[in-house]
Amino acid sequence: MVCALGAAVCFGTATVLQAVAARAAGTEGAGGEAALLLRALRQWRYLAGLALDGLGFLFQIAALRSLPIYAVSAALASSLAVTAVVAARLLRVRLSGTEWTAVAVVCAGLAMLGLASGPEGEEGGSDALGYVMLAVAVGMLLLALAGGRLSGPGRALALGLGAGFGFGVVEVSVRLIDSLAPLDLLTNPAVYALLIGGGAAFMLLTSALQRGSVTTATAGMVLGETIGPAAVGVVWLGDRTREGLTWLAVLGFVVAVVGAMALARFGEAPVVAEES
């Protein structure tokens, strides 16, 4: 659980650092998205954020190798709580009483999960599951490519859910990669599912945040990256809880996810509160 929480801290802090850098880059000159990215890459905060993202991914892999997927996915969703707290400190974002309560709720849910989680499931998953993950990843990529044509109030939710499914594919695929030998990696469909699913997820989330409600898109992402992978872990990979504590794990999972969804507005760069 320490690695899962470490990943959440890295991802949540990286979001705020990149938000600060992007804002500063946006005031330095004109130009399109490429120019904005190049200016951001010259700032240490943006580079630090990218480094934290990389470190967070390593923590995520380590956590998925020792914990059930349901515990890791709930912990990763809690990165929104980290973003909210860090934003309150660095960006002077004003959190309401309800949002501070949501942060406490997330922490309580993770504590319950930590107490109830058993070891990682011993089942390695079948080749068929790897191909299913690859098919889902390709489907999310197609959705990402067609995202610009979608319209209507449900667009942000659909793209957010798609991003969540893509990140969920990454979580499951990590568990399906049991050998790092070059030949095994080249012939394992889970490797391609991981790469395609991760890329599609970032494309979907970017599209959702650019053209829709941040809160709706992020809430959809949290649902997609927690419930689906957790079910796969329990049904197909043998993830279990400690003896007699299944109820506590279910309660902790629900509490952590609901708390994260209450903080969904922090899924994008937080907005700086206006000075009074």
Side-chain angles (χ1 to χ4, degrees):
M1 184 59 84
V2 172
C3 287
L5 293 177
V9 170
C10 288
F11 292 145
T13 305
T15 297
V16 178
L17 289 175
Q18 289 163 349
V20 173
R23 273 200 197 93
T27 63
E28 290 177 358
E33 295 297 320
L36 174 63
L37 177 60
L38 288 175
R39 290 197 299 271
L41 285 171
R42 293 198 295 266
Q43 301 196 36
W44 70 267
R45 288 184 182 86
Y46 196 88
L47 296 177
L50 291 178
L52 283 174
D53 280 333
L55 180 60
F57 184 65
L58 294 178
F59 278 137
Q60 179 183 356
I61 293 175
L64 288 167
R65 290 296 185 179
S66 59
L67 286 175
I69 292 178
Y70 64 79
V72 178
S73 59
L76 293 180
S78 74
S79 66
L80 293 174
V82 176
T83 299
V85 173
V86 176
R89 176 69 177 177
L90 295 185
L91 299 183
R92 298 181 182 178
V93 174
R94 296 174 181 173
L95 272 63
S96 66
T98 300
E99 288 170 333
W100 279 117
T101 300
V103 171
V105 165
V106 168
C107 294
L110 293 177
M112 287 186 277
L113 272 174
L115 291 173
S117 297
E120 172 197 14
E122 297 180 357
E123 299 179 23
S126 63
D127 291 338
L129 182 58
Y131 284 108
V132 169
M133 290 299 103
L134 179 57
V136 174
V138 171
M140 294 308 99
L141 180 59
L142 294 176
L143 177 60
L145 295 176
R149 301 178 183 178
L150 299 179
S151 61
R155 182 182 186 280
L157 179 60
L159 295 178
L161 278 170
F165 288 145
F167 288 127
V169 166
V170 172
E171 295 174 23
V172 175
S173 297
V174 168
R175 285 279 296 275
L176 297 178
I177 299 174
D178 52 8
S179 172
L180 298 180
L183 183 60
D184 292 333
L185 290 175
L186 289 173
T187 58
N188 191 339
V191 174
Y192 301 100
L194 186 154
L195 296 175
I196 296 173
F202 279 112
M203 289 172 62
L204 283 163
L205 186 58
T206 299
S207 180
L209 296 179
Q210 284 179 342
R211 300 182 177 88
S213 165
V214 172
T215 300
T216 301
T218 306
M221 182 190 69
V222 169
L223 287 175
E225 73 177 344
T226 53
I227 296 177
V232 171
V234 171
V235 175
W236 284 287
L237 298 178
D239 289 345
R240 294 293 181 267
T241 64
R242 293 184 182 180
E243 187 69 27
L245 293 180
T246 299
W247 66 272
L248 185 61
V250 172
L251 179 61
F253 180 85
V254 172
V255 166
V257 171
V258 170
M261 289 180 65
L263 297 166
R265 77 179 177 100
F266 293 95
E268 195 186 31
V271 178
V272 179
E274 294 181 1
E275 296 293 339
S276 57

